[in-house]
Amino acid sequence: MSETAKLVYGDKSLEMKVTRGSEDELGVEIGALRAKTGLITLDPGFMNTGSCQSAVTFIDGDKGILRYRGYSIEELAEKSSFLEVSHLLLEGELPTKAQLDTFTSRVKLHTMLHEDVKRFYKGFPKDAHPMAVLSAVCGALSTFYQDSLDIDDPAQVDISTVRLIAKFPTMAACSYKHSIGQPFLYPVNAHDYTSNFLHMMFATPCEGYEVSPVVSKALDLLLILHADHEQNCSTSTVRLVGSSQANLFASISAGVNALWGPLHGGANQAVIEMLDQIESEGLDGRKYLERCKDRNDTTRLMGFGHRVYKNFDPRAKIIKKACGEVLGQLKKQSRLLDIAAELEEVALKDDYFVSRKLYPNVDFYSGIIYKAIGIPVNMFTVLFAMGRLPGWIAHWKEMHKDPATKIGRPRQVYTGATERKYTPIAERK
Ligand code: SDX
């Protein structure tokens, strides 16, 4: 017998069905609320509002649990690869060897950009932010693949998925090459996914680039850790844009823009800028934290806090451990890592952070690895987007398969002027 919840308002009452998820999360179904009671819900930031039922990713924010399709992030980080995790998110199951080989070779066949797409880059200023370039070029791809925009044709959705996953590294590397005035490199498909990206970023026509296995593995790990995170801001954006039946390229381009914000994916760049500022100005970490606590100061401890995790972000734990390993293997030191660790240690003993359950999130340490492997700071969020791409597409596909899906169109409570007559300009004061 299904559970229900009852709402009473004045002389009206409504019995609502309560849906229990596979991990015992409960959602009250309010579909009849306005018709039966005249009420709507009001929930800025959707703090208490579920937009959908989803089988892609599970997060338990109180226990610090993250699972993609039921597999723990810890196991996937240790045992899987980014393309295998992409297949898992997109298809719902870990691939067999044959399936992974097929997926990998299909991706390899689509890593090149149409030669005319490259001309877009020439139009951008050298100092254009690569997230602006990525979203623009991603949207523009729909003009090159007009034969595969039909959201209801599984074959067209499939080829668009492969094209996006294959081309994002090439698109990213081209934005970097444009910014430094170097020629674009073609992908070399003998490389694996992350090695190909590193080659396109750091090789030149006159100098090869020896891809370090340590670096390509660290990058693969970071892509796995960023691959999905249920209904975060950018994924919700992809779902909302997709709900209007906009094509996949347009929906993903919107997700890139949402991710760019410093409160979301842009935080990884903001963290390194914060650590650089503390180091270059010789700031006292404790004093910096006092500014982060001061309501009159807009400074925030970037990379700390999370809407869902009220315990450690499991990804931050994995990345912090990987920082030490990668720096050790590369025989590099990082003063920024020391500063970050000091900030974390002090913050986790400070009541302001403890009482608000603010812990390091995925962005707090990730930039230290990106920096150690030579990625420019303004490319950090682009790498977040590269990782999140399979998650965005998995949610977009799930949304279109869900019979409950309708175009997303929230209501509001109007607080503006009540009706008034037009005043001729001569009579206005
Ligand atoms: C990502 O949703 C996802 O899953 C996102 C993500 C993913 O994988 O997709 O995990 C990736 O976006 C991680 C978050 C990256 N952003 C940052 O690191 C930016 C710094 N963090 C914050 O701005 C904040 O913690 C958010 C945006 C992450 C969450 O904000 P919420 O849930 O809206 O919480 P809030 O802003 O209402 O904060 C609650 C309180 C407030 O204080 P009071 O009003 O209670 O006095 O905590 C304070 C905030 O001022 N607070 C912080 C803080 N984060 C929250 N104070 C100082 N420094 C911070 N970082």
Short mmCIF file of all heavy atoms in Angstrom, two decimals, residues 340-392:
data_model
loop_
_atom_site.label_atom_id
_atom_site.label_comp_id
_atom_site.label_asym_id
_atom_site.label_seq_id
_atom_site.Cartn_x
_atom_site.Cartn_y
_atom_site.Cartn_z
N ALA A 340 46.49 24.84 1.23
CA ALA A 340 45.13 24.26 1.23
C ALA A 340 44.94 23.35 2.43
O ALA A 340 43.93 23.42 3.13
CB ALA A 340 44.90 23.48 -0.07
N ALA A 341 45.94 22.52 2.71
CA ALA A 341 45.83 21.59 3.84
C ALA A 341 45.74 22.36 5.16
O ALA A 341 44.97 22.01 6.05
CB ALA A 341 47.03 20.65 3.84
N GLU A 342 46.52 23.47 5.25
CA GLU A 342 46.47 24.30 6.48
C GLU A 342 45.06 24.91 6.63
O GLU A 342 44.46 24.87 7.70
CB GLU A 342 47.50 25.43 6.39
CG GLU A 342 48.95 25.02 6.63
CD GLU A 342 49.95 26.04 6.03
OE1 GLU A 342 49.56 27.22 5.85
OE2 GLU A 342 51.08 25.63 5.70
N LEU A 343 44.52 25.44 5.53
CA LEU A 343 43.18 26.05 5.58
C LEU A 343 42.15 25.01 6.01
O LEU A 343 41.30 25.27 6.86
CB LEU A 343 42.79 26.62 4.22
CG LEU A 343 43.50 27.89 3.76
CD1 LEU A 343 43.14 28.20 2.29
CD2 LEU A 343 43.13 29.08 4.64
N GLU A 344 42.26 23.81 5.43
CA GLU A 344 41.30 22.75 5.77
C GLU A 344 41.41 22.40 7.25
O GLU A 344 40.40 22.34 7.96
CB GLU A 344 41.57 21.51 4.93
CG GLU A 344 40.64 20.34 5.29
CD GLU A 344 41.01 19.03 4.62
OE1 GLU A 344 41.98 18.99 3.84
OE2 GLU A 344 40.33 18.03 4.90
N GLU A 345 42.64 22.27 7.73
CA GLU A 345 42.84 21.87 9.13
C GLU A 345 42.24 22.90 10.09
O GLU A 345 41.50 22.55 11.01
CB GLU A 345 44.34 21.71 9.41
CG GLU A 345 44.63 21.12 10.78
CD GLU A 345 46.13 21.12 11.12
OE1 GLU A 345 46.95 21.44 10.21
OE2 GLU A 345 46.46 20.84 12.27
N VAL A 346 42.49 24.17 9.80
CA VAL A 346 41.96 25.23 10.69
C VAL A 346 40.44 25.32 10.56
O VAL A 346 39.72 25.36 11.57
CB VAL A 346 42.62 26.59 10.34
CG1 VAL A 346 41.98 27.70 11.17
CG2 VAL A 346 44.12 26.52 10.57
N ALA A 347 39.94 25.25 9.33
CA ALA A 347 38.48 25.41 9.12
C ALA A 347 37.71 24.29 9.81
O ALA A 347 36.66 24.52 10.41
CB ALA A 347 38.17 25.43 7.63
N LEU A 348 38.25 23.07 9.73
CA LEU A 348 37.50 21.94 10.30
C LEU A 348 37.52 21.93 11.82
O LEU A 348 36.87 21.11 12.44
CB LEU A 348 38.04 20.62 9.72
CG LEU A 348 37.81 20.43 8.21
CD1 LEU A 348 38.22 19.05 7.76
CD2 LEU A 348 36.36 20.72 7.82
N LYS A 349 38.26 22.89 12.41
CA LYS A 349 38.21 23.01 13.88
C LYS A 349 37.47 24.29 14.27
O LYS A 349 37.36 24.62 15.45
CB LYS A 349 39.64 23.08 14.45
CG LYS A 349 40.40 21.78 14.35
CD LYS A 349 41.82 21.95 14.83
CE LYS A 349 42.65 20.70 14.56
NZ LYS A 349 44.09 21.04 14.37
N ASP A 350 36.98 25.03 13.26
CA ASP A 350 36.36 26.33 13.53
C ASP A 350 34.85 26.17 13.53
O ASP A 350 34.25 25.66 12.59
CB ASP A 350 36.79 27.32 12.43
CG ASP A 350 36.25 28.72 12.69
OD1 ASP A 350 35.01 28.84 12.82
OD2 ASP A 350 37.04 29.65 12.78
N ASP A 351 34.21 26.65 14.60
CA ASP A 351 32.77 26.42 14.75
C ASP A 351 31.95 26.97 13.58
O ASP A 351 30.92 26.39 13.22
CB ASP A 351 32.28 27.07 16.06
CG ASP A 351 30.79 26.76 16.28
OD1 ASP A 351 30.46 25.55 16.31
OD2 ASP A 351 29.99 27.70 16.30
N TYR A 352 32.44 28.08 12.97
CA TYR A 352 31.67 28.64 11.85
C TYR A 352 31.48 27.57 10.76
O TYR A 352 30.37 27.36 10.27
CB TYR A 352 32.40 29.85 11.25
CG TYR A 352 31.77 30.38 9.99
CD1 TYR A 352 30.82 31.40 10.03
CD2 TYR A 352 32.08 29.82 8.73
CE1 TYR A 352 30.22 31.88 8.87
CE2 TYR A 352 31.48 30.29 7.58
CZ TYR A 352 30.56 31.30 7.65
OH TYR A 352 29.95 31.76 6.48
N PHE A 353 32.54 26.89 10.43
CA PHE A 353 32.47 25.88 9.35
C PHE A 353 31.84 24.59 9.85
O PHE A 353 31.01 23.98 9.17
CB PHE A 353 33.89 25.62 8.80
CG PHE A 353 34.48 26.83 8.11
CD1 PHE A 353 35.29 27.71 8.81
CD2 PHE A 353 34.17 27.10 6.79
CE1 PHE A 353 35.80 28.84 8.18
CE2 PHE A 353 34.68 28.24 6.16
CZ PHE A 353 35.49 29.10 6.86
N VAL A 354 32.20 24.21 11.09
CA VAL A 354 31.68 22.95 11.62
C VAL A 354 30.17 23.05 11.81
O VAL A 354 29.42 22.16 11.40
CB VAL A 354 32.39 22.61 12.96
CG1 VAL A 354 31.76 21.39 13.60
CG2 VAL A 354 33.89 22.39 12.72
N SER A 355 29.72 24.18 12.38
CA SER A 355 28.27 24.31 12.67
C SER A 355 27.45 24.35 11.36
O SER A 355 26.29 23.97 11.34
CB SER A 355 28.00 25.58 13.47
OG SER A 355 28.39 26.73 12.71
N ARG A 356 28.08 24.85 10.30
CA ARG A 356 27.36 24.90 9.03
C ARG A 356 27.66 23.66 8.15
O ARG A 356 27.22 23.58 7.02
CB ARG A 356 27.72 26.18 8.28
CG ARG A 356 27.20 27.44 8.94
CD ARG A 356 27.79 28.70 8.33
NE ARG A 356 27.18 29.90 8.87
CZ ARG A 356 27.53 30.43 10.05
NH1 ARG A 356 28.45 29.84 10.80
NH2 ARG A 356 26.93 31.52 10.49
N LYS A 357 28.39 22.73 8.72
CA LYS A 357 28.73 21.47 8.02
C LYS A 357 29.39 21.76 6.67
O LYS A 357 28.96 21.28 5.63
CB LYS A 357 27.49 20.60 7.85
CG LYS A 357 26.90 20.17 9.21
CD LYS A 357 25.74 19.23 9.08
CE LYS A 357 25.23 18.80 10.47
NZ LYS A 357 24.05 17.89 10.37
N LEU A 358 30.40 22.65 6.71
CA LEU A 358 31.13 23.01 5.50
C LEU A 358 32.43 22.22 5.44
O LEU A 358 33.28 22.34 6.31
CB LEU A 358 31.44 24.52 5.50
CG LEU A 358 30.22 25.43 5.64
CD1 LEU A 358 30.65 26.89 5.73
CD2 LEU A 358 29.24 25.24 4.49
N TYR A 359 32.55 21.39 4.44
CA TYR A 359 33.74 20.56 4.25
C TYR A 359 34.33 20.82 2.86
O TYR A 359 33.64 21.36 2.00
CB TYR A 359 33.35 19.08 4.37
CG TYR A 359 32.92 18.66 5.75
CD1 TYR A 359 31.57 18.75 6.12
CD2 TYR A 359 33.84 18.21 6.69
CE1 TYR A 359 31.15 18.38 7.40
CE2 TYR A 359 33.43 17.84 7.97
CZ TYR A 359 32.09 17.93 8.31
OH TYR A 359 31.68 17.57 9.58
N PRO A 360 35.54 20.35 2.63
CA PRO A 360 36.11 20.50 1.28
C PRO A 360 35.24 19.76 0.25
O PRO A 360 34.78 18.65 0.53
CB PRO A 360 37.49 19.84 1.39
CG PRO A 360 37.82 19.84 2.83
CD PRO A 360 36.52 19.74 3.57
N ASN A 361 34.99 20.40 -0.90
CA ASN A 361 34.24 19.71 -1.95
C ASN A 361 35.19 19.33 -3.08
O ASN A 361 36.41 19.51 -2.97
CB ASN A 361 33.08 20.58 -2.45
CG ASN A 361 33.56 21.92 -3.00
OD1 ASN A 361 34.47 21.98 -3.81
ND2 ASN A 361 32.96 23.00 -2.52
N VAL A 362 34.65 18.85 -4.17
CA VAL A 362 35.46 18.30 -5.27
C VAL A 362 36.46 19.32 -5.80
O VAL A 362 37.52 18.98 -6.31
CB VAL A 362 34.55 17.80 -6.41
CG1 VAL A 362 33.84 18.97 -7.10
CG2 VAL A 362 35.33 16.97 -7.41
N ASP A 363 36.12 20.62 -5.64
CA ASP A 363 36.97 21.66 -6.25
C ASP A 363 38.14 22.10 -5.39
O ASP A 363 38.99 22.85 -5.86
CB ASP A 363 36.10 22.88 -6.58
CG ASP A 363 35.06 22.54 -7.64
OD1 ASP A 363 35.44 21.99 -8.67
OD2 ASP A 363 33.86 22.79 -7.39
N PHE A 364 38.16 21.64 -4.11
CA PHE A 364 39.17 22.24 -3.20
C PHE A 364 40.60 21.82 -3.57
O PHE A 364 41.51 22.62 -3.50
CB PHE A 364 38.85 21.86 -1.75
CG PHE A 364 39.62 22.65 -0.73
CD1 PHE A 364 39.47 24.03 -0.65
CD2 PHE A 364 40.50 22.02 0.14
CE1 PHE A 364 40.18 24.78 0.29
CE2 PHE A 364 41.23 22.76 1.08
CZ PHE A 364 41.05 24.14 1.15
N TYR A 365 40.76 20.57 -3.94
CA TYR A 365 42.12 20.08 -4.24
C TYR A 365 42.37 19.80 -5.73
O TYR A 365 43.51 19.63 -6.15
CB TYR A 365 42.39 18.79 -3.45
CG TYR A 365 42.61 19.02 -1.97
CD1 TYR A 365 41.62 18.71 -1.04
CD2 TYR A 365 43.80 19.56 -1.49
CE1 TYR A 365 41.82 18.91 0.33
CE2 TYR A 365 44.02 19.77 -0.13
CZ TYR A 365 43.01 19.44 0.77
OH TYR A 365 43.22 19.65 2.13
N SER A 366 41.30 19.76 -6.53
CA SER A 366 41.49 19.31 -7.93
C SER A 366 42.46 20.20 -8.69
O SER A 366 43.31 19.73 -9.46
CB SER A 366 40.14 19.26 -8.66
OG SER A 366 39.50 20.53 -8.61
N GLY A 367 42.37 21.52 -8.45
CA GLY A 367 43.24 22.44 -9.19
C GLY A 367 44.71 22.24 -8.92
O GLY A 367 45.56 22.55 -9.76
N ILE A 368 45.03 21.67 -7.75
CA ILE A 368 46.45 21.45 -7.42
C ILE A 368 47.04 20.38 -8.34
O ILE A 368 48.17 20.50 -8.82
CB ILE A 368 46.59 21.10 -5.94
CG1 ILE A 368 46.28 22.36 -5.11
CG2 ILE A 368 47.99 20.56 -5.61
CD1 ILE A 368 45.99 22.16 -3.68
N ILE A 369 46.22 19.39 -8.67
CA ILE A 369 46.70 18.36 -9.62
C ILE A 369 46.74 18.94 -11.03
O ILE A 369 47.73 18.80 -11.75
CB ILE A 369 45.80 17.11 -9.59
CG1 ILE A 369 45.84 16.44 -8.21
CG2 ILE A 369 46.24 16.12 -10.67
CD1 ILE A 369 45.05 15.15 -8.11
N TYR A 370 45.67 19.64 -11.41
CA TYR A 370 45.67 20.25 -12.76
C TYR A 370 46.92 21.11 -12.94
O TYR A 370 47.59 21.07 -13.96
CB TYR A 370 44.42 21.12 -12.95
CG TYR A 370 43.10 20.40 -13.08
CD1 TYR A 370 41.95 20.91 -12.48
CD2 TYR A 370 42.98 19.22 -13.80
CE1 TYR A 370 40.72 20.27 -12.58
CE2 TYR A 370 41.75 18.57 -13.92
CZ TYR A 370 40.63 19.10 -13.30
OH TYR A 370 39.41 18.46 -13.41
N LYS A 371 47.21 21.91 -11.91
CA LYS A 371 48.37 22.83 -12.01
C LYS A 371 49.66 22.03 -12.12
O LYS A 371 50.54 22.32 -12.92
CB LYS A 371 48.40 23.75 -10.79
CG LYS A 371 49.38 24.90 -10.92
CD LYS A 371 49.07 26.06 -9.98
CE LYS A 371 50.05 27.21 -10.21
NZ LYS A 371 49.46 28.53 -9.98
N ALA A 372 49.74 20.94 -11.33
CA ALA A 372 50.98 20.13 -11.32
C ALA A 372 51.20 19.46 -12.67
O ALA A 372 52.34 19.22 -13.07
CB ALA A 372 50.87 19.08 -10.23
N ILE A 373 50.11 19.16 -13.41
CA ILE A 373 50.31 18.48 -14.70
C ILE A 373 50.35 19.50 -15.85
O ILE A 373 50.33 19.13 -17.01
CB ILE A 373 49.24 17.39 -14.96
CG1 ILE A 373 47.83 17.94 -15.02
CG2 ILE A 373 49.34 16.30 -13.92
CD1 ILE A 373 46.78 16.82 -15.27
N GLY A 374 50.36 20.80 -15.47
CA GLY A 374 50.62 21.83 -16.50
C GLY A 374 49.40 22.42 -17.15
O GLY A 374 49.50 23.17 -18.12
N ILE A 375 48.21 22.14 -16.61
CA ILE A 375 47.00 22.72 -17.20
C ILE A 375 46.89 24.19 -16.77
O ILE A 375 47.02 24.48 -15.58
CB ILE A 375 45.74 21.96 -16.72
CG1 ILE A 375 45.85 20.45 -17.00
CG2 ILE A 375 44.48 22.54 -17.35
CD1 ILE A 375 45.81 20.04 -18.46
N PRO A 376 46.67 25.12 -17.70
CA PRO A 376 46.52 26.53 -17.30
C PRO A 376 45.27 26.71 -16.44
O PRO A 376 44.26 26.04 -16.66
CB PRO A 376 46.37 27.27 -18.63
CG PRO A 376 46.66 26.30 -19.71
CD PRO A 376 46.57 24.93 -19.15
N VAL A 377 45.33 27.63 -15.48
CA VAL A 377 44.23 27.78 -14.51
C VAL A 377 42.89 28.05 -15.18
O VAL A 377 41.86 27.49 -14.79
CB VAL A 377 44.56 28.91 -13.50
CG1 VAL A 377 43.41 29.13 -12.53
CG2 VAL A 377 45.82 28.55 -12.71
N ASN A 378 42.89 28.84 -16.25
CA ASN A 378 41.57 29.16 -16.82
C ASN A 378 40.98 28.00 -17.63
O ASN A 378 39.88 28.08 -18.14
CB ASN A 378 41.64 30.45 -17.67
CG ASN A 378 42.40 30.24 -18.96
OD1 ASN A 378 43.01 29.17 -19.18
ND2 ASN A 378 42.36 31.22 -19.83
N MET A 379 41.73 26.88 -17.69
CA MET A 379 41.22 25.68 -18.37
C MET A 379 40.64 24.67 -17.37
O MET A 379 40.09 23.63 -17.75
CB MET A 379 42.34 24.99 -19.15
CG MET A 379 42.82 25.72 -20.38
SD MET A 379 41.72 25.50 -21.80
CE MET A 379 41.95 23.76 -22.15
N PHE A 380 40.78 24.97 -16.05
CA PHE A 380 40.37 23.97 -15.05
C PHE A 380 38.89 23.62 -15.21
O PHE A 380 38.50 22.46 -15.17
CB PHE A 380 40.58 24.52 -13.64
CG PHE A 380 42.02 24.59 -13.20
CD1 PHE A 380 43.06 24.25 -14.04
CD2 PHE A 380 42.33 25.01 -11.91
CE1 PHE A 380 44.40 24.32 -13.62
CE2 PHE A 380 43.66 25.08 -11.47
CZ PHE A 380 44.68 24.73 -12.34
N THR A 381 38.03 24.63 -15.41
CA THR A 381 36.60 24.34 -15.48
C THR A 381 36.24 23.62 -16.77
O THR A 381 35.29 22.85 -16.83
CB THR A 381 35.78 25.63 -15.29
OG1 THR A 381 36.30 26.35 -14.17
CG2 THR A 381 34.31 25.32 -15.00
N VAL A 382 37.06 23.84 -17.80
CA VAL A 382 36.86 23.10 -19.06
C VAL A 382 37.10 21.62 -18.81
O VAL A 382 36.36 20.76 -19.32
CB VAL A 382 37.83 23.62 -20.15
CG1 VAL A 382 37.84 22.71 -21.36
CG2 VAL A 382 37.46 25.05 -20.56
N LEU A 383 38.09 21.29 -17.99
CA LEU A 383 38.34 19.88 -17.65
C LEU A 383 37.21 19.32 -16.80
O LEU A 383 36.85 18.15 -16.92
CB LEU A 383 39.69 19.72 -16.96
CG LEU A 383 40.81 19.40 -17.97
CD1 LEU A 383 41.17 20.61 -18.78
CD2 LEU A 383 42.02 18.86 -17.30
N PHE A 384 36.61 20.17 -15.96
CA PHE A 384 35.43 19.73 -15.21
C PHE A 384 34.31 19.37 -16.21
O PHE A 384 33.69 18.32 -16.12
CB PHE A 384 34.96 20.86 -14.27
CG PHE A 384 33.95 20.45 -13.22
CD1 PHE A 384 33.99 21.00 -11.96
CD2 PHE A 384 32.93 19.55 -13.48
CE1 PHE A 384 33.06 20.66 -10.99
CE2 PHE A 384 31.99 19.18 -12.52
CZ PHE A 384 32.07 19.75 -11.26
N ALA A 385 34.14 20.23 -17.23
CA ALA A 385 33.10 19.98 -18.24
C ALA A 385 33.38 18.70 -19.02
O ALA A 385 32.49 17.91 -19.30
CB ALA A 385 33.02 21.17 -19.19
N MET A 386 34.65 18.46 -19.37
CA MET A 386 35.03 17.23 -20.08
C MET A 386 34.63 16.00 -19.26
O MET A 386 34.09 15.04 -19.77
CB MET A 386 36.54 17.19 -20.33
CG MET A 386 36.99 17.85 -21.61
SD MET A 386 38.78 18.04 -21.71
CE MET A 386 39.37 16.40 -21.51
N GLY A 387 34.85 16.10 -17.94
CA GLY A 387 34.48 14.97 -17.07
C GLY A 387 32.98 14.83 -16.95
O GLY A 387 32.44 13.73 -17.02
N ARG A 388 32.28 15.96 -16.82
CA ARG A 388 30.83 15.93 -16.56
C ARG A 388 30.00 15.59 -17.79
O ARG A 388 28.83 15.22 -17.66
CB ARG A 388 30.38 17.30 -15.98
CG ARG A 388 28.96 17.40 -15.52
CD ARG A 388 28.48 16.35 -14.55
NE ARG A 388 29.32 16.16 -13.40
CZ ARG A 388 29.21 16.83 -12.26
NH1 ARG A 388 28.32 17.78 -12.15
NH2 ARG A 388 29.99 16.56 -11.23
N LEU A 389 30.59 15.65 -18.96
CA LEU A 389 29.85 15.44 -20.20
C LEU A 389 29.05 14.14 -20.24
O LEU A 389 27.84 14.19 -20.53
CB LEU A 389 30.80 15.54 -21.40
CG LEU A 389 30.18 15.36 -22.78
CD1 LEU A 389 29.12 16.42 -23.05
CD2 LEU A 389 31.26 15.38 -23.87
N PRO A 390 29.60 12.98 -19.92
CA PRO A 390 28.78 11.76 -19.97
C PRO A 390 27.62 11.79 -18.98
O PRO A 390 26.52 11.29 -19.27
CB PRO A 390 29.76 10.63 -19.65
CG PRO A 390 30.96 11.27 -19.05
CD PRO A 390 31.01 12.67 -19.57
N GLY A 391 27.81 12.42 -17.85
CA GLY A 391 26.72 12.55 -16.88
C GLY A 391 25.61 13.42 -17.42
O GLY A 391 24.42 13.08 -17.35
N TRP A 392 25.98 14.56 -18.00
CA TRP A 392 24.97 15.44 -18.60
C TRP A 392 24.14 14.69 -19.65
O TRP A 392 22.91 14.75 -19.64
CB TRP A 392 25.63 16.63 -19.30
CG TRP A 392 26.12 17.72 -18.41
CD1 TRP A 392 25.67 18.04 -17.15
CD2 TRP A 392 27.18 18.65 -18.70
NE1 TRP A 392 26.39 19.12 -16.66
CE2 TRP A 392 27.31 19.51 -17.58
CE3 TRP A 392 28.04 18.84 -19.79
CZ2 TRP A 392 28.24 20.55 -17.54
CZ3 TRP A 392 28.96 19.88 -19.75
CH2 TRP A 392 29.06 20.72 -18.63
#
